[in-house]
Every structure is written in C-alpha cells, then in structure tokens.
C-alpha cells in the first residue's frame, strides 16, 4: 500500500515539493532495536492470558497438561516473529515499512505528506529505553493505516520527529537551525549555484529553536478526574476480563473471602437499601478509577509552541506520550464541556486539525490540547493556540424561540413515550405500579435537558472564524477557520421547513469534517455561509432569487 500526495492536501492548501534535508539517510532496509524481542512477548502475554488460561484448564481436565505450555510458547514465538518480519528505511522522499510473514505489506508515506509524529513509550518500552513512533498523514484517522516504528530509542525518535515535521536541513556541526534557515536553504537549492554556500552560512548563523510553554498540568486539576467518568471504561475492561476468567475456570467467587461476606450482607438487608449500597459503592469505585486514570494519562502534561511552527504535547505517567502538530494544519479549536465536568466548572480544549485520528477519541487520537481543567484555563489555551481570544469568548447569536420549541417538543415527546410504555404495561400486562411512577421522572428531566440545549444554541462569525455552540450532555463550542471550509450543506427536514429553520453544515478536511449550526433561520443560514466564504454561494443565491 503506497500513499502518494499530489495537488491539494487534506487541509485544503497546495502541497509544494518536499524539501530534501541534508541529513544522512540510509536507503537500505533496517530492523528495529533487538530489545523488541523482549518487549513484544511481554506485551502480547497479558492480551492472550485468558485464552492461555482456557487452554490450560481444558488440557488439565482432559489429561493433557502440556497444552498450556504449548499455547504459551506459541504466543511468545508469534510475538518474536514480529521483529524478524519488520524492516524499515527512510529515504529523502519516503518513510517505508515492511511487515508481515504470511501477509506481506509495505507501507510508504511521502515525507511531504507527513502531518503528525506521535511518540509513545509504554512502561515496558521505558524500562528498556525504547519508544513507538507513529507517522501520521491526512488519512491517519483510520486505525489500520499509518507507519508505525515500534522500537526506536528516544534519541532516534526525537531526531526523526525533527526531520519529518520541521523539514529542514541539519548542519554537520553547530546548533540546529531555525525555520528561517530552512527557508534559506530551500530557496538556495531551488536556485542552485553559489547561493547554496551562502544559504549554508545563513543556516549556521541562525538562532537556535525556542519553545514557549502554553500550559502545564497543575496538581489542583486532578479534582476534575472524578467528573470525567473515564473509570467506567477501566472498570468495564477489568470486569470483562474477570468474567471471562470465571467462566473459563467455573469458579463461584461469592463462595470465598470478602465476596462471600458481602453477598451474605446484601441478602439480609432490604432490597432498596441493598440497591442503594451497591450504587454508592459503584460510584466510589468509578470516581477512584477516574481519578487514577486522570493521573496516569495526564501526569506531566505540557503544551508548548515551537518556533518552527509546531505545537508539542507531552503527557503520561506510566505510558509517556509526545505528539507534535504542525500549526499550518490547524483549522480551529473546540472547547468541550461534558455535563458533569461542566457542573464542576471544568472543560477541555481539543484541536481541529488535519491528519489527527479523531475517530478514536480525543485523548487517544492526539487531538487533546488541554486535559479537564478550569473552564477559564481551557478558554485561555484555546485563545493562545488561535492567537486570538475573541472566537472563544465573544457572545453568540441565539437561534430564537422556534429552535427552542423544537428542543422542548422532541425532549418531552420522547419522555412521554417512555411514560406511556409502562402505563400501558400496567394496564394490560399487570406490570408493577412503580414502573410508570418511576418513569414519570423522565418528564422533568426532559424539560431540564431541553432548557439546557436551548441555552447552548448559538453561532457567530468572529475574526475570520465560524463559531458554533450546541449540546447538553456534551456542550461543544467550535471555532473553525473560514479558510478551512471547503463546502456547505443546507438541510431542512419536514418539520424544519414548517418552522422556517435549517441546519447549516460547514464541511472541512479537519477534525470531524462536519460542523453544524442547527435549527437556524434559513435566511440567516444563507447569509452566514455567504459572509464566511464570500462568493462560494453566490451562484446559488442568484439562482434562487
């Protein structure tokens, strides 16, 4: 599989010819560090442990105790084969990787198409002094694509990131040149002749690169950890693993130790009290797991701006991760406020950029510019990244009472249906009366949600950026560069047409690729699109007139 970039890139700008850095490149195929022969088995064994345990139990019950050892050896050998079947090379134009035994694959990424370089070091990697480098392109939102170099030293990873993202020559000695020096060498190479020598001298005299810290984790931010509810995911994974192990071993955990005492206690107390105790214990466990997850994921968080035009994010306690984003690929920012985090006065800041894997989640995809922190801090960081605070703090234009009525109608209609089902069940199927009585709580909850969603609606056009806000369970305020908008979609449902409303969608190559202004007056939608991208809708507006 080979990806070749030509013409317009994923961010809507013309991709020029690659600048070939004057560095030592090895056109021959090389292997990763031999220390990965130890790392691969250590990483694969925990994943295969349930299957190994099942084979061991099956072999023991059938008199074949050696089955477990064979399965263990097969996992280790299979993991070690990954090192023997993986090679890579870096040429002046491409980063290439070959891997696979039965299914041989060759991935080739043109260096002028590189968007991000993600450096990750799990606990085992850090013990042996290695890192995992992921070279991201405009198509890196797909989990099965991308170039992964699992087994480079920290020095090699930093050097590779510098070369691929900053795309500048490195002198034989002296400081690393700045962006101005890179431009000089590129221009000299294009012109040829004696200008190359003058450019090299300019590079040697260029000032060294500098970094400016935009945000650093503060210990007080850990209080927002319980409100992220990320512990649900961790508890779900652990529960699934334990459940599978119990099924494989046919063991009843309620017959042993503390679980036996707990089961006996719950069987003796009234049902309502037992449910309350279980829910309270679950909330405490989720809060503790969420806090631990926050510390593990974001400890040592630091966001810096590089003088060469990149944003650099580092974070992680056990698993260290470093992500570098080119600012020229940045198309905007998003301030995200999940309901519980918003109630605690917190928010997150997320990048809207081409080449980032938003499909896998903000934290995992490298789009996170600031972890859960005070809302004022998230707005400050967003303004620093955009070089302007107005798109994040400016007041928004509401969408009027018609848009509000639609939210109340849909919310209360769904709640009424939720009440009608248990009422009908108690009338015809003799359901307990408490089912419809509990369902009545959905009506006030739906009213509150509709009220919050109505208040969240808003849009504006500030400083050449389209600003839109919506949502209740997760309120999002997005500031999108108008230069990054490549098209518009005006959609009207049957009920929207009757209300004179429409949903305006700005399409872009960055982020989620679709950013909506929902339930806005149809004439306002057309005016907003025409002001954001003058001339783009003129033929359609003239025709409709």
């Amino acid at each position: 599989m080979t990806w070749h970039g030509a013409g317009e890139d994923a961010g809507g700008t013309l991709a020029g010819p690659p600048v070939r850095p004057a560095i030592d490149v090895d056109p021959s195929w090389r292997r990763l560090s031999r220390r990965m022969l130890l790392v691969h088995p250590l990483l694969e064994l925990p994943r295969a442990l349930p299957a190994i345990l099942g084979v061991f139990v099956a072999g023991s019950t059938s008199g074949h105790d050696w089955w477990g050892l064979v399965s263990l050896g097969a996992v280790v050998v299979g993991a070690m084969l990954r090192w023997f079947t993986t090679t890579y090379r870096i040429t002046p134009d491409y980063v290439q990787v070959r891997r696979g035994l039965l299914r041989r694959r060759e991935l080739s990424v043109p260096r002028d198409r590189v968007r991000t370089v993600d450096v990750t070091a799990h606990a085992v990697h850090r013990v042996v002094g290695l890192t995992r480098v992921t070279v991201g392109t405009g198509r890196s939102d797909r989990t099965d694509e991308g170039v992964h170099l699992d087994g480079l030293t920290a020095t090699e990873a930093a050097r590779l990131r510098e070369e691929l993202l900053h795309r500048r020559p490195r002198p034989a000695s002296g400081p690393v040149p700045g962006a101005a020096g890179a431009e000089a060498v590129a221009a000299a190479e294009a012109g040829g002749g004696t200008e190359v020598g003058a450019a090299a001298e300019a590079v040697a005299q260029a000032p060294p690169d500098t970094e400016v810290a935009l945000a650093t984790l503060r210990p007080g931010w850990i209080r927002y950890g319980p409100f992220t509810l990320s512990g649900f995911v961790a508890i779900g994974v652990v529960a699934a693993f334990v459940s599978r192990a119990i099924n494989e071993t046919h063991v009843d955990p309620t017959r042993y130790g503390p679980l036996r005492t707990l089961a006996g206690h719950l069987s003796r107390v009234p049902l309502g009290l037992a449910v309350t105790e279980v829910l309270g214990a679950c909330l405490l466990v989720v809060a503790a797991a969420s806090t631990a997850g926050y510390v593990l994921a974001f400890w040592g968080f630091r966001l810096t701006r590089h003088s060469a035009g990149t944003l650099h994010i580092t974070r992680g306690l056990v698993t260290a991760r470093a992500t570098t984003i080119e600012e020229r690929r940045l198309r905007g920012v998003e301030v995200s406020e999940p309901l519980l985090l918003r109630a605690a006065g917190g928010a997150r800041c997320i990048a809207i950029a081409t080449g980032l894997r938003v499909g896998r989640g903000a934290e995992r995809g490298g789009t996170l510019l600031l972890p859960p922190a005070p809302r004022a801090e998230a707005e400050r960081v967003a303004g620093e990244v955009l070089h302007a605070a107005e798109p994040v703090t400016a007041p928004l234009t509401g969408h009027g009472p018609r848009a509000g009525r639609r939210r109340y109608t849909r919310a209360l209609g769904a709640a009424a249906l939720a009440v009608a089902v248990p009422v009908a069940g108690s009338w015809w199927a003799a359901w307990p009366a408490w089912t419809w009585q509990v369902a009545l709580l959905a009506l006030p909850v739906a009213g509150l949600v509709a009220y919050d969603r109505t208040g969240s609606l808003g849009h504006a056009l500030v400083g050449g950026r389209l600003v839109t806000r919506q949502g209740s369970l997760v309120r999002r305020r997005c500031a999108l560069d108008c230069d990054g908008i490549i098209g518009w979609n005006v959609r009207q449902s049957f009920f929207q047409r009757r209300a004179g409303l429409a949903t305006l969608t700005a399409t872009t190559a960055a982020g989620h690729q679709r950013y909506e202004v929902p339930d806005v007056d149809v004439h306002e939608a057309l005016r907003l699109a025409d002001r954001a991208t003058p001339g783009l809708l003129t033929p359609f507006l003239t025709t409709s007139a």
Side-chain angles (χ1 to χ4, degrees):
M1 179 184 301
T2 304
W3 306 331
H4 294 281
E8 190 170 300
D9 66 3
T13 59
L14 292 178
V19 178
R20 299 188 180 184
I23 58 174
D24 294 332
V25 291
D26 186 359
S28 63
W29 293 94
R30 293 176 289 173
R31 297 191 185 276
L32 300 169
S33 173
R34 289 186 176 86
R35 283 172 275 182
M36 292 304 296
L37 290 171
L38 175 63
V39 174
H40 283 316
L42 291 178
L43 294 179
E44 291 296 332
L45 282 176
R47 303 172 188 171
L49 187 58
I52 295 174
L53 185 60
V55 172
F56 177 77
V57 172
S60 299
T61 55
S62 61
H64 300 85
D65 296 336
W66 52 271
W67 285 10
L69 295 176
V70 171
S71 62
L72 178 63
V75 171
V76 173
V77 171
M80 294 176 66
L81 284 177
R82 291 176 57 185
W83 183 84
F84 288 100
T85 58
T86 301
T87 55
Y88 76 99
R89 69 176 179 180
I90 301 174
T91 69
D93 297 317
Y94 292 94
V95 180
Q96 297 173 306
V97 177
R98 287 177 179 173
R99 62 171 180 257
L101 179 61
L102 300 179
R103 182 189 176 190
R104 192 69 170 168
R105 299 183 63 193
E106 179 177 329
L107 304 180
S108 180
V109 173
R111 293 181 58 168
D112 63 326
R113 298 289 293 177
V114 174
R115 302 294 180 261
T116 60
V117 176
D118 194 355
V119 181
T120 307
H122 297 284
V124 180
H125 285 83
R126 297 175 70 177
V127 169
V128 297
L130 297 179
T131 61
R132 186 175 193 261
V133 178
T134 300
V135 179
T137 67
R139 300 176 62 187
S140 62
D141 56 322
R142 302 185 181 184
T143 58
D144 60 342
E145 295 179 349
V147 168
H148 308 288
L149 300 176
D150 193 356
L152 297 179
T153 64
T155 303
E156 292 173 337
R159 174 177 172 272
L160 181 62
R161 181 179 63 206
E162 190 85 3
E163 294 165 0
L164 294 182
L165 281 182
H166 296 166
R167 297 186 180 91
R168 61 193 176 189
R170 174 176 299 180
S173 62
V176 179
E183 295 175 359
V185 172
E189 287 183 350
T194 59
E195 296 180 358
V196 175
E201 183 178 355
V203 167
Q205 298 176 357
D209 293 324
T210 58
E211 286 188 345
V212 178
L214 301 183
T216 305
L217 181 72
R218 300 174 187 171
W221 296 356
I222 298 176
R223 68 180 184 272
Y224 294 103
F227 299 97
T228 62
L229 296 184
S230 59
F232 273 120
V233 178
I235 292 176
V237 172
V238 173
F241 175 81
V242 172
S243 176
R244 184 170 180 179
I246 290 173
N247 291 333
E248 294 289 349
T249 57
H250 303 286
V251 175
D252 184 5
T254 61
R255 299 174 56 186
Y256 306 97
L259 291 179
R260 179 180 180 180
T261 304
L262 179 60
H265 168 73
L266 294 177
S267 64
R268 290 190 298 268
V269 300
L271 178 61
L273 180 58
V275 172
T276 303
E277 291 179 348
V278 171
L279 290 179
C282 289
L283 287 178
L284 290 176
V285 172
V286 169
S290 299
T291 304
Y294 187 99
V295 173
L296 292 175
F298 302 119
W299 189 259
F301 176 88
R302 182 177 171 84
L303 170 65
T304 58
R305 171 177 280 126
H306 200 282
S307 60
T310 58
L311 295 174
H312 190 56
I313 305 130
T314 57
R315 60 183 175 90
L317 181 60
V318 177
T319 299
R321 179 172 185 175
T323 302
T324 304
I325 306 172
E326 287 184 302
E327 287 194 85
R328 66 192 184 106
R329 306 297 176 188
L330 198 67
R331 296 294 177 263
V333 297
E334 172 187 318
V335 177
S336 175
E337 302 173 82
L339 183 60
L340 290 179
L341 188 59
R342 175 154 50 106
R348 298 176 298 189
C349 185
I350 300 172
I352 301 176
T354 59
L356 295 181
R357 296 169 295 177
V358 295
R360 298 185 63 190
E363 283 84 0
R364 297 184 63 189
T367 59
L368 195 69
L369 295 176
L370 186 74
R375 187 173 185 271
E377 183 69 11
E379 293 177 346
R380 184 194 67 79
V381 170
E384 290 282 354
V385 171
L386 293 178
H387 299 280
E390 290 80 7
V392 185
T393 59
L396 303 180
T397 301
H399 292 189
R402 290 174 295 174
R405 284 196 297 270
R406 278 179 53 81
R407 268 132 190 84
Y408 278 100
T409 301
R410 287 185 289 182
L412 294 177
L417 180 61
V419 174
V421 171
V423 167
S426 62
W427 183 267
W428 284 293
W431 286 9
W434 63 266
T435 57
W436 64 267
Q437 294 172 355
V438 172
L440 287 175
L441 296 175
L443 292 175
V445 171
L448 292 175
V449 171
Y451 175 80
D452 188 52
R453 293 185 65 199
T454 302
S456 298
L457 281 179
H459 69 276
L461 195 63
V462 182
R465 293 182 175 89
L466 173 67
V467 183
T468 176
R469 186 182 66 188
Q470 61 174 308
S472 179
L473 295 180
V474 180
R475 176 186 288 179
R476 294 183 173 92
R477 178 170 178 145
C478 303
L480 178 66
D481 288 346
C482 293
D483 293 339
I485 298 175
I486 59 178
W488 295 96
N489 183 3
V490 181
R491 185 179 70 254
Q492 285 184 294
S493 66
F494 172 77
F495 296 103
Q496 282 180 317
R497 287 197 301 270
R498 292 177 61 87
L501 302 175
T503 296
L504 177 67
T505 303
T507 58
T508 178
H512 294 284
Q513 301 181 347
R514 295 169 54 90
Y515 291 89
E516 295 184 346
V517 184
D519 288 337
V520 65
D521 181 83
V522 62
H523 301 293
E524 173 64 17
L526 296 177
R527 285 194 297 267
L528 181 63
D530 189 51
R531 289 170 54 205
T533 54
L536 185 61
L537 294 183
T538 301
F540 304 97
L541 296 177
T542 304
T543 302
S544 62

